[in-house]
Amino acid sequence: MTVNDQVATSGTPAVERSPWPALWAMVLGFFMILVDTTIVSVATPAIMEGLDTDVNGVVWVTSAYLLAYAVPLLITGRLGDRFGPKNLYLIGLAVFTLASLWCGLTDSIGGLVAARIVQGLGASMLTPQTMAVITRTFPAASRGSAMALWGATAGVAILVGPVLGGVLTDGPGWEWIFFINVPVGIVGLVLAWRLVPRLETHSHSFDWLGVGLSAVGMFLLVFGVQEGETYDWGTITGVISVPLLIGAGLIMLAVFLWWQRRNTSEPLLPLGLFADRNFSLANVAITTIGFAFTAMGFPLMLFAQVVLGFSPTRAALLLVPMAIVSIVLAPLVGKLTDRMHPRQLVGFGVATSSVSLFWLSRIMTPDTATWQLLLPMTLMGVGSACMWAPLGATATRNLPLRAAGAGAGVYNTTRQVGAVFGSAAIAALMENRLAAHLPGMPEGGGLQGAGAKLPPQFADGFGQAMSQAIVLPAAVLLIGVVAAVLFERPSHQGAGATAATGATGAPAATRATAE
């Protein structure tokens, strides 16, 4: 199989070699950063104890990473086009690997948050290049199989991340959830250097003003939401207050949208894409899913370890039924995606996930048996299987071919933005509920020490706080259900017409423009 001779857009000479080794090399790095988004929640109590911090401080370890990951995504794909996807991938993986070493060596929560910001920047450089290489090196006939491998990587990461995090935290210590990235990153760098081809570069203009506006706006909004409870939603210092930060963040994001509409060259966020109804609704839905799946991990893992006394490994095993069921059902859902109306599959999946979280919130008590927790997690696996692939396919199905890359970039970015706000909002809500149920509990007192149960006088209140917190992601998913119900039938007619539709005559193709 040749690599580039079938891909007219690349303009590079034909290379007589299979593109699969290059994909496998890049998937290794992609898998590593996906694992890193789930691995930290399991180690939360151990990090709190090791770095002497509170719930809000340790949640910043994830929020900072996700914020630094999400904001540059829209521009790092274009940087890959300009300087070569292989070069950006190698730089991103090197930055991520070195930052992982920094994370493991740090001895303060501030240092860990700073290292995680650098990690997130590395991840944002790495992620878009994998999809770019697939698009430019695989012929159309086998591109679906390549994308299936890319998508399956996320499902395996959901399973491996928490379990690996539990084993490492129980064994050598929480620092090793970061140290483990160093040898994997080195192997990934060597493989990518040898196996990933150098592709033709293309000039782009870069909307650095858009990057600055979106970064500042999101930071102010996330900081205001996450730190609101800490400052009693009032004054932080001098004239600076939580409402002021949130308001300033919203204004900056509004200015960002205004600038995207005025920028006629290459805007960071092509607003014309949102003329397609399904694309707009899919972005709403994936934002709620990113929010919910990030937010649910913190209260669940804290409850399992602090209230039930589970070790990090045993707590992580609670997520295994969800991952396994999702992976088993994925092939069946893939076959149904092109045949069923998207509102049926996606609506069922998001609604089922919401129900499972509401169910979970009702049974999170100190005397809950393990098997009772596994039932809603299994149901969540059913919902998860019916969300990811159908929603991703629906998002870009009606877009013209020239807009597919930009659409995928926006879609992935909104998912990460949802995760950022999920992390911030769940931190604020957990703090609020802990203050309400445990007003006499000393600061950080019963929360430290993975696998050590709280004293009985605190366990019930802590369990109630975590069960009420997990209602938030369940409720946010209801917005995703509404978005899914409003989907219109895609313009394709059956699985065989999918590729042709994307390239030719969808009605949305005349409405949505990427440039």
Side-chain angles (χ1 to χ4, degrees):
M1 181 187 299
T2 61
V3 178
N4 295 321
D5 52 347
Q6 297 97 336
V7 187
T9 57
S10 70
T12 55
V15 179
E16 292 293 333
R17 65 177 181 182
S18 169
W20 283 101
L23 177 59
W24 280 107
M26 299 185 82
V27 160
L28 180 62
F30 182 56
F31 176 77
M32 185 169 68
I33 66 169
L34 288 175
V35 165
D36 228 59
T37 61
T38 60
I39 201 171
V40 173
S41 62
V42 180
T44 294
I47 294 174
M48 291 171 63
E49 180 182 23
L51 299 181
D52 191 25
T53 188
D54 57 12
V55 170
N56 187 58
V58 80
V59 172
W60 266 113
V61 174
T62 296
S63 293
Y65 172 81
L66 291 173
L67 194 59
Y69 187 179
V71 171
L73 272 178
L74 288 172
I75 207 164
T76 51
R78 293 176 187 177
L79 287 172
D81 283 343
R82 175 64 182 85
F83 299 105
K86 177 175 182 175
N87 292 332
L88 258 290
Y89 179 89
L90 290 172
I91 293 171
L93 185 55
V95 169
F96 186 90
T97 302
L98 290 172
S100 297
L101 180 62
W102 179 10
C103 287
L105 294 175
T106 189
D107 59 358
S108 69
I109 190 65
L112 182 56
V113 169
R116 288 283 280 172
I117 290 172
V118 178
Q119 251 195 335
L121 292 173
S124 73
M125 287 189 278
L126 181 158
T127 301
Q129 315 315 324
T130 310
M131 186 176 288
V133 170
I134 290 174
T135 304
R136 296 177 62 182
T137 61
F138 278 85
S142 59
R143 199 172 297 153
S145 299
M147 290 300 296
L149 171 63
W150 187 78
T153 303
V156 176
I158 293 174
L159 173 61
V160 172
V163 175
L164 180 62
V167 170
L168 292 173
T169 303
D170 277 335
W174 66 264
E175 297 89 348
W176 282 87
I177 68 175
F178 302 112
F179 285 147
I180 192 68
N181 291 336
V182 177
V184 177
I186 292 172
V187 171
L189 283 166
V190 172
L191 291 177
W193 180 268
R194 292 179 59 86
L195 299 175
V196 176
R198 295 192 179 276
L199 302 174
E200 184 184 20
T201 58
H202 305 279
S203 61
H204 281 284
S205 61
F206 297 104
D207 184 10
W208 295 113
L209 178 58
V211 173
L213 289 170
S214 60
V216 173
M218 283 188 60
F219 173 77
L220 292 174
L221 191 56
V222 169
F223 186 89
V225 170
Q226 186 160 325
E227 295 293 328
E229 187 65 27
T230 302
Y231 295 100
D232 199 24
W233 300 97
T235 301
I236 297 175
T237 180
V239 297
I240 300 175
S241 66
V242 171
L244 179 64
L245 290 181
I246 293 175
L250 291 173
I251 291 172
M252 291 293 287
L253 291 176
V255 173
F256 166 72
L257 292 176
W258 171 81
W259 168 244
Q260 295 309 286
R261 183 169 291 279
R262 281 186 60 89
N263 186 353
T264 57
S265 55
E266 286 194 69
L268 193 63
L269 180 65
L271 296 179
L273 294 170
F274 292 94
D276 178 67
R277 175 176 172 177
N278 279 5
F279 179 79
S280 298
L281 292 170
N283 276 275
V284 172
I286 197 62
T287 301
T288 67
I289 292 168
F291 183 109
F293 272 71
T294 299
M296 63 167 275
F298 293 105
L300 178 60
M301 290 297 104
L302 281 169
F303 169 79
Q305 295 181 54
V306 176
V307 176
L308 300 182
F310 285 8
S311 68
T313 302
R314 189 178 177 191
L317 290 175
L318 293 174
L319 302 177
V320 169
M322 176 182 71
I324 291 178
V325 170
S326 181
I327 292 170
V328 169
L329 291 179
L332 173 62
V333 173
K335 294 178 182 178
L336 296 174
T337 297
D338 289 321
R339 303 174 187 173
M340 295 180 63
H341 197 299
R343 73 162 62 108
Q344 296 171 329
L345 271 178
V346 178
F348 172 79
V350 181
T352 300
S353 297
S354 179
V355 168
S356 66
L357 287 176
F358 277 118
W359 180 5
L360 193 62
S361 73
R362 303 298 299 170
I363 60 174
M364 289 172 62
T365 62
D367 56 352
T368 299
T370 302
W371 66 268
Q372 291 177 288
L373 297 172
L374 295 178
L375 293 178
M377 298 311 296
T378 302
L379 181 63
M380 181 169 286
V382 176
S384 179
C386 295
M387 291 189 305
W388 298 103
L391 190 56
T394 302
T396 56
R397 178 91 72 184
N398 289 342
L399 296 181
L401 188 61
R402 70 179 184 278
V410 172
Y411 179 79
N412 283 318
T413 300
T414 56
R415 174 175 59 85
Q416 288 299 120
V417 169
V420 171
F421 287 111
S423 178
I426 201 67
L429 185 57
M430 286 192 299
E431 278 202 302
N432 176 274
R433 293 297 80 204
L434 285 171
H437 289 286
L438 297 171
M441 187 173 179
E443 176 100 14
L447 308 184
Q448 300 180 4
K453 294 180 70 171
L454 276 174
Q457 66 268 31
F458 293 137
D460 185 62
F462 194 94
Q464 288 185 57
M466 295 301 103
S467 68
Q468 291 171 5
I470 216 164
V471 170
L472 175 63
V476 168
L477 282 175
L478 295 178
I479 301 173
V481 175
V482 174
V485 169
L486 295 175
F487 279 140
E488 62 184 2
R489 185 176 295 279
S491 55
H492 74 289
Q493 297 295 325
T498 302
T501 302
T504 56
T510 60
R511 301 194 308 265
T513 56
E515 303 297 337

